[in-house]
Amino acid sequence: MNTRYTIGHDRPIIEALAKLNELSGGAMTLFAVDGDGKVTGTLTDGDIRRALIAGATPDSPVQSAARTSFRFVRSGDIDVEALRQYREAGLSLIPILDEEHRLSDVIDFSRQRTLLPVKAVLMAGGKGERMRPATLTTPKPLLEIEGKAIIDYNIEALAECGVSDITVTTRYLAERLDEHFSKPVAGVNVKTVREDVPLGTIGAVALTDVAEADGDTLVMNSDLITTISFEDMYLTHRKRRADVTIAAVPYQVSVPYAILSTDENEPTQVKGIEEKPSYSYYANAGIYLFSNRLLRILAKGEHCDATDLIERAIASGMKVTYYPIKGTWLDVGSPVDFRQASELMRHHNAMNS
């Protein structure tokens, strides 16, 4: 139980005021608890002021001022949609209660946007050969953009969504990544798992423990710069009851010639001519939500690409959908991409400074 935000409901109001004062500069809310540790109400400065106006004294018990009707989520069944509604309603702290109504944790919206009930795996085993010579001594995910490793932008974005169980799969220059994650990043103790042999773009997930429980796992490439809403992607995934959701980016192909339209039955017969057409598609962005029941079919040591696993899911009748990324997405795969990402983050930092 997080005692920083709790107070016995039989304690005097004056004690609650002192404890609220200690929270100054942050979310100033207390959770009143009974002798069994069950949360019975919430308390703010405003609640105490109203109680005093109504006749309470500084020695009156906290329960005389606390609100007994309050919003919360259950620790075993995090309602992400409810959390989004609470955040948009301007609430600061949301208690996470267990089945006995005891406080398990607290969500502070000033520090994180939500609490996604997923684990995450970031794939970081590639050699980054197109980025040489920069990657001769440094794995591509650790190349810095505006003073920060590429992979850390993604760790921070996940941490902001309350994802604290994060594993990074490594192979090339793995010791550098092990060293980097020997200390927490964005408050998260990131784990690393090493591939002894190349296992493809998703095979190394079998080396982790993410698929042992029910639910979903977020798998993504580690060398992306993106503003994708992990929260929205997760809610879309759950709403559709999907087994796989693929983050996708629009991709347009322009043909610089006039294209002939032919008859299906008479291929040599021209039905029309389209001058320099453009075709729009959705391309795989390297970010996925997989149901753990699908990931459980991966065998340790088996080489498997994410596209192969998705094809297997489709063939077995599982539901595969896509989620269009509405914001920024850059695959930092070449020096040109790196320069573009650097310029983008330089502009972003200038706008937020």
Side-chain angles (χ1 to χ4, degrees):
M1 182 171 66
N2 194 328
T3 57
R4 182 171 183 240
Y5 293 105
T6 59
I7 188 168
H9 69 177
D10 57 352
R11 303 305 300 165
I13 285 176
I14 189 66
E15 187 176 316
L17 280 171
K19 197 157 189 177
L20 282 169
N21 190 59
E22 293 174 2
L23 298 176
S24 181
M28 297 178 64
T29 300
L30 293 176
F31 302 107
V33 298
D34 63 16
D36 295 325
K38 297 180 180 180
V39 178
T40 60
T42 61
L43 191 71
T44 65
D45 278 331
D47 296 324
I48 293 176
R49 183 176 64 252
R50 285 184 285 273
L52 293 174
I53 291 173
T57 69
D59 293 324
S60 296
V62 162
Q63 61 189 359
S64 66
R67 293 184 177 219
T68 57
S69 177
F70 57 93
R71 290 156 177 163
F72 63 90
V73 293
R74 288 291 181 195
S75 57
D77 185 21
I78 301 297
D79 189 334
V80 178
E81 179 58 42
L83 285 177
R84 178 157 70 175
Q85 293 174 7
Y86 298 159
R87 184 184 71 239
E88 292 175 350
L91 300 182
S92 301
L93 290 180
I94 297 295
I96 304 175
L97 307 183
D98 63 18
E99 293 182 357
E100 301 299 324
H101 223 63
R102 295 186 179 93
L103 188 68
S104 295
D105 207 344
V106 174
I107 298 176
D108 183 347
F109 285 132
S110 69
R111 298 182 180 182
Q112 67 185 76
R113 288 183 56 80
T114 187
L115 181 60
L116 299 184
V118 301
K119 296 181 180 182
V121 179
L122 278 69
M123 314 302 287
K127 293 183 178 181
E129 292 179 332
R130 288 187 296 160
M131 287 294 296
R132 290 184 176 179
T135 53
L136 288 174
T137 56
T138 303
K140 186 169 62 169
L142 293 187
L143 295 179
E144 292 191 353
I145 291 178
E146 287 295 288
K148 185 185 300 181
I150 296 171
I151 194 171
D152 286 355
Y153 285 101
N154 296 309
I155 299 294
E156 290 179 357
L158 290 167
E160 189 178 354
C161 291
V163 181
S164 59
D165 193 325
I166 302 175
T167 301
V168 174
T169 67
T170 68
R171 176 165 168 76
Y172 177 68
L173 298 178
E175 64 282 355
R176 291 290 308 276
L177 287 155
D178 292 340
E179 179 185 2
H180 181 77
F181 291 116
S182 64
K183 293 182 284 188
V185 175
V188 177
N189 291 311
V190 178
K191 296 170 286 187
T192 58
V193 172
R194 189 176 304 190
E195 302 175 57
D196 292 328
V197 295
L199 296 175
T201 58
I202 202 170
V205 171
L207 303 177
T208 75
D209 63 355
V210 293
E212 292 180 358
D214 292 332
D216 303 288
T217 295
L218 188 143
V219 180
M220 67 181 293
N221 298 340
S222 62
D223 53 359
L224 304 175
I225 295 293
T226 179
T227 58
I228 185 175
S229 171
F230 292 117
E231 177 187 55
D232 194 48
M233 182 179 179
Y234 173 82
L235 288 171
T236 301
H237 176 78
R238 298 298 293 180
K239 182 178 180 180
R240 294 173 178 169
R241 298 182 179 180
D243 293 290
V244 183
T245 296
I246 308 166
V249 290
Y251 186 80
Q252 191 171 59
V253 177
S254 297
V255 181
Y257 309 106
I259 298 299
L260 305 183
S261 174
T262 59
D263 191 297
E264 291 184 4
N265 298 318
E266 294 288 341
T268 59
Q269 181 175 335
V270 177
K271 296 174 61 178
I273 299 178
E274 187 175 2
E275 186 70 32
K276 298 180 180 179
S278 293
Y279 303 96
S280 296
Y281 303 92
Y282 274 107
N284 182 356
I287 305 171
Y288 316 88
L289 273 168
F290 288 100
S291 66
N292 287 341
R293 75 185 184 101
L294 174 59
L295 292 179
R296 276 194 284 269
I297 73 174
L298 289 171
K300 288 187 177 180
E302 173 190 10
H303 184 284
C304 185
D305 288 329
T307 50
D308 297 329
L309 183 61
I310 292 168
E311 290 286 356
R312 289 163 71 178
I314 294 171
S316 64
M318 290 184 171
K319 189 172 185 178
V320 177
T321 68
Y322 73 91
Y323 170 80
I325 297 177
K326 302 177 180 67
T328 298
W329 178 86
L330 278 174
D331 177 8
V332 187
S334 69
V336 172
D337 299 327
F338 187 86
R339 288 192 293 270
Q340 184 179 359
S342 298
E343 183 60 33
L344 176 69
M345 296 313 301
R346 189 176 302 114
H347 176 73
H348 173 79
N349 292 339
M351 292 291 291
N352 290 277
S353 61

